[in-house]
Amino acid sequence: MEREYLPPCWVDEDRINYLFSAFRKDRASNQQDWDTKLTFWVNCIEQYCKHCKTVVIDSSQISRQFERNGVVPMGMDTVLKEMYCSKKLVLQSDFVNSIEGSWLGWSANMFIGKPARWAYNSLVTGSEKIPPGSYIHQGVLEDMADKVLSRFCSPSSPSDSSINRVIEQNDFESSILDICGDDTTRHLVLLKLRKMKKVEVATLEDGCKVVKYASSKTATVIPLSEKEIGVFRLQKTIAALEEQLTKLSTEITDHQQQARLHIRKGLKTSAKNSLRKKKLSEQKLERTERTLNTLQNLLEKIQAANTDRMIIEAYKAGSSALRGSLKENNLTPETVDDALSEVQEVMEMCNEINDTIVQGNKGLDDTMNLDLDIDETTLEAELNALVNLPAVADVVKQEREEPDDLLVDLPAVPTAKPEMSPEPQKKMVTS
């Protein structure tokens, strides 16, 4: 079987021989060598868990998953011990007891049982191996739990908008088969989500185990209520009736075909019995459809009631936010009226100031005219004289049209082109 979780250097003989060798007893003697090997094998174990979609590691079998040419890594016990001490690995029984067991039992196991097992193992075997058993890779477990949460509790998930976030445990575990590769891993992921308070597991009166998951709008899951249990049972009944309708439709078709077959064989009595069974199935089908329609209408009304409740809550939230905004900004009819009154008073004051300035300027003009003792009649006559003067452009035009006295006696400008006289021919001088 192809082991895709193996690193690319797996074909490098020298490199693998070095990595398969045992760890030095004293890490301080060559810290880089120690850390290089440890990091390599820690990554290999993590990739193995992710590839196999499991979080469980058997301390006695994990070395076999990295066997090469009949040889297994010699330092795997050291790797597991370091991962255990750094909390990357936790004993499966300890993890389960911390959630499912009682507080007293878990405390006794953590503070008495586990140290006793570790001391016994160290004293009896004289080694530093971790206690044998199944361990959980906590990093991979957290990754799987996050993926499950994204599937059920993210805002884009169809499950998040469901009117009832309650599902049967078997259906819940079946929906995460692509994330968790085995039953033990699925159970441990569910326990992890319970520990994170993202899901709640409950057993109903009929023995049915259900899982309620949190909404994306809430940090933790809300305890299961009687209303949610009622809606879950209603949905379960609807699903059962739909399955029964499919079965009855198949029975009706089978009885019809059997009746035709008996007719062809001449068995009228058998054909009549098949038709009677067909009629009974049709009656059951009709009753089942009526019941199913009633339950579906009831479920739709419950969903509509939840929608109406959400709308009312949105109205209340919007009203409260608007009221808070008005209060924060001190916006009331009285404050607005006071502000408008102040604006009106300021505008009236501005108008009065402008009127005062105009009157003051007029008074100043009159005072200055009196001080200069200027005759207004004389000013008007001078102004009229300036108005009656010809425009500057007309004066310039008139000056251009009148000929200059200096140019009157000059001859007219010729219009014909002057003719050129031919050049005299040069004579050749001979010697």
Side-chain angles (χ1 to χ4, degrees):
M1 181 182 66
E2 188 68 23
R3 296 180 292 179
E4 297 179 358
Y5 54 86
L6 297 177
C9 67
W10 202 253
V11 296
D12 188 340
E13 193 74 25
D14 295 336
R15 175 70 174 167
I16 291 301
N17 288 337
Y18 159 72
L19 294 170
F20 268 52
S21 62
F23 284 81
R24 297 175 181 269
K25 292 184 178 181
D26 185 9
R27 177 175 178 269
S29 61
N30 193 337
Q31 183 175 347
Q32 184 177 0
D33 174 77
W34 178 288
D35 292 343
T36 299
K37 287 183 180 179
L38 180 64
T39 302
F40 173 81
W41 288 114
V42 167
N43 292 335
C44 285
I45 292 175
E46 181 177 352
Q47 292 303 316
Y48 161 76
C49 292
K50 290 181 177 180
H51 175 74
C52 299
K53 298 178 181 180
T54 184
V55 298
V56 181
I57 297 172
D58 189 339
S59 61
S60 61
Q61 298 295 325
I62 186 64
S63 297
R64 296 295 177 186
Q65 305 302 328
F66 300 98
E67 184 176 350
R68 184 177 184 272
N69 299 329
V71 180
V72 295
M74 299 179 64
M76 190 58 67
D77 290 336
T78 303
V79 174
L80 295 178
K81 173 181 172 292
E82 292 294 327
M83 293 181 69
Y84 182 80
C85 294
S86 61
K87 308 295 183 181
K88 292 181 180 179
L89 294 181
V90 59
L91 201 60
Q92 180 177 341
S93 58
D94 292 341
F95 177 80
V96 174
N97 289 335
S98 67
I99 301 173
E100 291 188 336
S102 64
W103 184 88
L104 182 62
W106 175 79
S107 301
N109 179 70
M110 287 295 294
F111 297 106
I112 301 176
K114 188 166 68 171
R117 288 196 303 270
W118 182 271
Y120 175 81
N121 182 74
S122 299
L123 291 174
V124 174
T125 62
S127 66
E128 295 183 352
K129 294 181 180 180
I130 61 175
S134 297
Y135 289 81
I136 297 174
H137 194 297
Q138 300 224 70
V140 179
L141 179 62
E142 290 176 359
D143 290 341
M144 289 185 177
D146 290 340
K147 291 180 180 179
V148 174
L149 282 178
S150 299
R151 177 165 299 180
F152 285 92
C153 305
S154 65
S156 59
S157 172
S159 303
D160 188 62
S161 59
S162 175
I163 62 173
N164 202 34
R165 287 179 292 276
V166 180
I167 185 174
E168 197 167 348
Q169 182 172 341
N170 291 336
D171 295 336
F172 181 86
E173 294 182 356
S174 298
S175 64
I176 58 175
L177 289 174
D178 58 325
I179 300 176
C180 309
D182 54 78
D183 293 338
T184 302
T185 299
R186 286 188 287 274
H187 178 65
L188 292 172
V189 168
L190 188 57
L191 288 178
K192 177 66 176 179
L193 293 175
R194 284 178 58 188
K195 189 175 183 179
M196 297 168 61
K197 297 184 179 180
K198 292 296 184 180
V199 302
E200 180 186 1
V201 180
T203 304
L204 304 183
E205 296 178 355
D206 57 358
C208 178
K209 289 187 176 182
V210 296
V211 176
K212 180 185 177 182
Y213 50 90
S215 168
S216 61
K217 302 175 183 179
T218 57
T220 58
V221 63
I222 301 174
L224 189 64
S225 64
E226 291 295 331
K227 186 197 85 169
E228 291 172 325
I229 295 175
V231 173
F232 167 76
R233 287 174 174 166
L234 180 61
Q235 291 174 326
K236 190 175 181 181
T237 303
I238 290 175
L241 290 176
E242 289 175 343
E243 184 177 354
Q244 188 175 354
L245 282 178
T246 303
K247 183 179 179 181
L248 288 173
S249 298
T250 303
E251 289 181 358
I252 292 171
T253 302
D254 292 342
H255 292 323
Q256 181 73 23
Q257 292 176 352
Q258 289 177 1
R260 291 177 179 176
L261 182 62
H262 291 322
I263 289 295
R264 285 197 294 267
K265 292 182 179 181
L267 303 174
K268 293 184 178 181
T269 302
S270 299
K272 187 176 180 180
N273 289 333
S274 296
L275 291 176
R276 184 180 292 108
K277 293 179 181 179
K278 173 177 170 289
K279 289 294 182 182
L280 292 174
S281 296
E282 288 175 346
Q283 292 175 0
K284 290 181 181 179
L285 180 66
E286 185 178 354
R287 291 195 302 268
T288 304
E289 285 180 340
R290 286 199 300 267
T291 304
L292 180 61
N293 290 333
T294 301
L295 296 180
Q296 287 176 338
N297 290 334
L298 182 59
L299 186 61
E300 289 177 359
K301 289 181 179 180
I302 294 174
Q303 186 173 6
N306 287 339
T307 304
D308 294 341
R309 177 182 57 81
M310 292 171 60
I311 293 174
I312 296 300
E313 289 179 354
Y315 284 160
K316 290 181 179 179
S319 175
S320 177
L322 180 58
R323 186 181 295 107
S325 178
L326 293 175
K327 184 177 180 181
E328 181 180 351
N329 296 297
N330 195 24
L331 291 176
T332 61
E334 292 78 10
T335 56
V336 173
D337 186 56
D338 293 342
L340 293 176
S341 298
E342 290 180 4
V343 171
Q344 186 175 0
E345 291 178 3
V346 172
M347 294 301 296
E348 291 176 354
M349 185 183 299
C350 289
N351 293 333
E352 292 178 0
I353 293 173
N354 289 333
D355 293 340
T356 303
I357 292 174
V358 171
Q359 293 297 328
N361 288 336
K362 185 176 181 182
L364 289 174
D365 291 342
D366 294 341
T367 303
M368 293 177 66
N369 290 336
L370 290 175
D371 293 341
L372 295 174
D373 193 15
I374 298 174
D375 186 4
E376 291 292 334
T377 305
T378 304
L379 290 176
E380 290 291 337
E382 187 176 351
L383 178 62
N384 291 331
L386 291 174
V387 171
N388 294 327
L389 285 176
V392 176
D394 295 338
V395 174
V396 174
K397 182 178 181 181
Q398 183 178 359
E399 291 177 351
R400 288 180 178 177
E401 291 176 355
E402 294 179 357
D404 195 348
D405 294 340
L406 297 176
L407 300 178
V408 172
D409 296 334
L410 293 177
V413 177
T415 57
K417 296 182 178 180
E419 296 181 358
M420 298 178 62
S421 58
E423 290 185 11
Q425 297 181 354
K426 297 180 179 180
K427 295 181 178 182
M428 300 294 295
V429 178
T430 56
S431 58

